Amino acid sequence: MDYDYVIVIDFGGQYAHLITRRIRELGVYTEFLSAENASLEELREAIRGAKGVILSGGPSSVWEGKHDHIASIVVEEAKPTLGICYGHQLLAKVLGGSVGRAYKPEFGPTIVSVKARGDPLFDGIPETIVAWMSHNDVVLQPPQGAVVLATSQGSPVAAFRVGVVYGVQWHPEVVHTMFGLKLIRNWLKLIGVERNWKPEHMVDKLIASIREAVGDGVAVAAVSGGVDSTTASLLAERALGDRLIPVMIDHGLHPAGEPQRSVELLRKIGLEVRVVDASDRFFEALKGLTDPEGKRR
């Protein structure tokens, strides 16, 4: 790549994509990799090329040992790393610390006391903040040589540092955490990453990947009128031209006139959308259903 990038390794946390978004918003390209789907070779290669690595939260317990090998790779490669929630506990365990059940699990807004305000991760962050927690397990004893950076009532090691490895028990990526974006910005600064990336830098790469995937064939784009499908379809149209067929399904449950308005707007940006009226089919399938999950299926 022509610019620095950060890797976010997802352990199934509900906020993992949000971490990626926050860092991109700060001008740093971020790759999102699933711990479940990426091979160890892919992870190691991505980690080696990255300026820094973030380990996300997740529903697992570090007692299960299912992700120790991934955290070990990060430590072996000596990459600047930030562990968040489960990622924080995982790093502490792999580095020799003790993780166990919290005597006071923490969920929601939690008061955190910053103990080492001289550390660059907490530059400009006050001694007491309210942070968003979501955990049953905690780091009970920090790894040997670690500096404890913060504590809370239920987390004796709410944040720590060992060399270039940091861990925080809370979620700095959510708006409920005070100074959360500041903490992420501080981390990007201390790992020396250049904030020179913009989303439009991805356009040429995405267009090329669409052309490679479709080859000489024809592609169908499912369009709803929303931001995601519109962006994807517009990129595909630039890649394929008239070999792209944008299709909107009118299921009959839109607000009145919305499909027509969406089609008009899409045509203004160059997408000639075909509308399929499937309302009778949907109404028939929904007839007599009252269970919301049944309706969704």
Side-chain angles (χ1 to χ4, degrees):
M1 294 184 177
D2 297 328
Y3 35 78
D4 295 337
Y5 68 96
V6 167
I7 296 294
V8 174
I9 300 179
D10 172 32
F11 295 110
Q14 58 181 320
Y15 303 128
H17 279 287
L18 184 57
I19 300 169
T20 304
R21 175 179 169 180
R22 291 286 183 252
I23 299 175
R24 289 180 177 178
E25 288 172 345
L26 291 170
V28 177
Y29 179 62
T30 313
E31 279 282 354
F32 179 91
L33 292 174
S34 168
E36 304 303 324
N37 298 328
S39 68
L40 286 181
E41 292 74 18
E42 289 173 323
L43 287 169
R44 189 181 291 275
E45 182 179 354
I47 290 166
R48 282 178 176 170
K51 288 287 278 188
V53 179
I54 291 184
L55 304 185
S56 85
S60 301
S61 170
V62 298
W63 304 343
E64 300 171 20
K66 61 190 295 186
H67 298 125
D68 290 9
H69 56 295
I70 296 177
S72 296
I73 291 174
V74 175
V75 172
E76 289 167 11
E77 296 293 334
K79 283 291 177 179
T81 305
L82 175 63
I84 294 174
C85 195
Y86 173 74
H88 156 78
Q89 298 165 13
L90 187 60
L91 287 169
K93 178 192 175 189
V94 167
L95 290 166
S98 171
V99 179
R101 187 67 69 182
Y103 80 92
K104 186 182 185 303
E106 295 170 312
F107 293 91
T110 303
I111 295 175
V112 172
S113 299
V114 178
K115 301 299 183 182
R117 296 185 64 230
D119 191 279
L121 188 68
F122 291 95
D123 182 41
I125 297 177
E127 293 181 5
T128 302
I129 62 172
V130 175
W132 189 263
M133 297 276 200
S134 182
H135 65 97
N136 282 303
D137 296 342
V138 291
V139 179
L140 298 171
Q141 293 292 333
Q144 186 174 1
V147 178
V148 177
L149 303 175
T151 63
S152 68
Q153 188 174 0
S155 301
V157 186
F160 74 90
R161 172 178 57 82
V162 178
V164 296
V165 173
Y166 283 87
V168 294
Q169 181 61 68
W170 63 92
H171 289 272
E173 69 274 19
V174 302
V175 295
H176 309 77
T177 292
M178 295 172 59
F179 299 94
L181 201 59
K182 173 66 173 170
L183 186 145
I184 294 173
R185 190 183 290 114
N186 286 347
W187 183 73
L188 294 173
K189 181 179 179 181
L190 72 88
I191 70 173
V193 65
E194 287 191 52
R195 291 167 54 186
N196 60 351
W197 180 83
K198 297 179 181 178
E200 51 264 38
H201 292 167
M202 289 295 294
V203 171
D204 290 342
K205 178 182 177 181
L206 290 168
I207 288 173
S209 69
I210 293 168
R211 285 176 179 156
E212 181 181 359
V214 176
D216 296 329
V218 174
V220 174
V223 182
S224 68
V227 173
D228 293 345
S229 66
T230 299
T231 302
S233 299
L234 192 58
L235 287 167
E237 191 276 334
R238 291 185 183 180
L240 306 173
D242 59 9
R243 291 189 294 119
L244 179 77
I245 304 173
V247 177
M248 177 180 291
I249 307 296
D250 182 0
H251 46 61
L253 301 170
H254 295 287
E258 184 178 278
Q260 292 74 22
R261 287 192 297 271
S262 296
V263 168
E264 289 174 9
L265 289 170
L266 291 166
R267 283 175 177 163
K268 286 181 180 179
I269 61 172
L271 291 173
E272 289 298 325
V273 181
R274 301 184 189 183
V275 180
V276 176
D277 184 355
S279 54
D280 288 344
R281 181 176 176 180
F282 274 80
F283 292 154
E284 184 63 30
L286 292 169
K287 190 175 181 178
L289 276 180
T290 57
D291 176 59
E293 287 302 307
K295 290 179 180 180
R296 288 204 313 130
R297 284 192 292 272

